[in-house]
């Protein structure tokens, strides 16, 4: 897959928490664990499984930090 998004991290799916509409996918990368929330429909269409090799493709217009 080729994309114009430059912020990408390769990793492996550690956990999948599926709900009716949204699914949280936790993956392990070289930078640590990352969680992404995607539609359950997309997760099913990709047939995501624990242990799959995936890429986190990050496109953010704003990153906030609070303490």
């Amino acid at each position: 897959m080729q994309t114009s998004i430059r912020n990408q991290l390769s990793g492996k799916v550690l956990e999948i928490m599926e709900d009716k509409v949204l699914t949280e996918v936790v993956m392990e990368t070289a930078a640590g664990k990352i969680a992404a929330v995607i539609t359950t429909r997309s997760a099913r269409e990709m047939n995501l499984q624990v242990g799959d090799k995936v890429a986190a493709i990050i496109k953010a217009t704003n990153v906030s930090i609070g303490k």
Side-chain angles (χ1 to χ4, degrees):
M1 172 178 65
Q2 191 171 10
T3 177
S4 64
I5 300 171
R6 297 293 175 231
N7 298 318
Q8 298 181 34
L9 296 168
S10 298
K12 185 168 88 170
V13 176
L14 294 179
E15 188 175 358
I16 300 171
M17 294 160 285
E18 186 177 294
D19 198 358
K20 186 175 181 179
V21 177
L22 296 174
T23 295
E24 182 178 17
V25 181
V26 178
M27 61 183 286
E28 182 70 50
T29 72
K33 291 182 184 177
I34 311 179
V37 177
I38 63 174
T39 63
T40 297
R41 179 179 178 177
S42 292
R44 289 178 180 169
E45 286 176 358
M46 289 189 288
N47 192 30
L48 285 178
Q49 303 291 321
V50 171
D52 283 353
K53 292 181 181 179
V54 294
I57 303 169
I58 304 157
K59 181 164 182 151
T61 57
N62 186 346
V63 177
S64 300
I65 297 176
K67 181 176 179 183

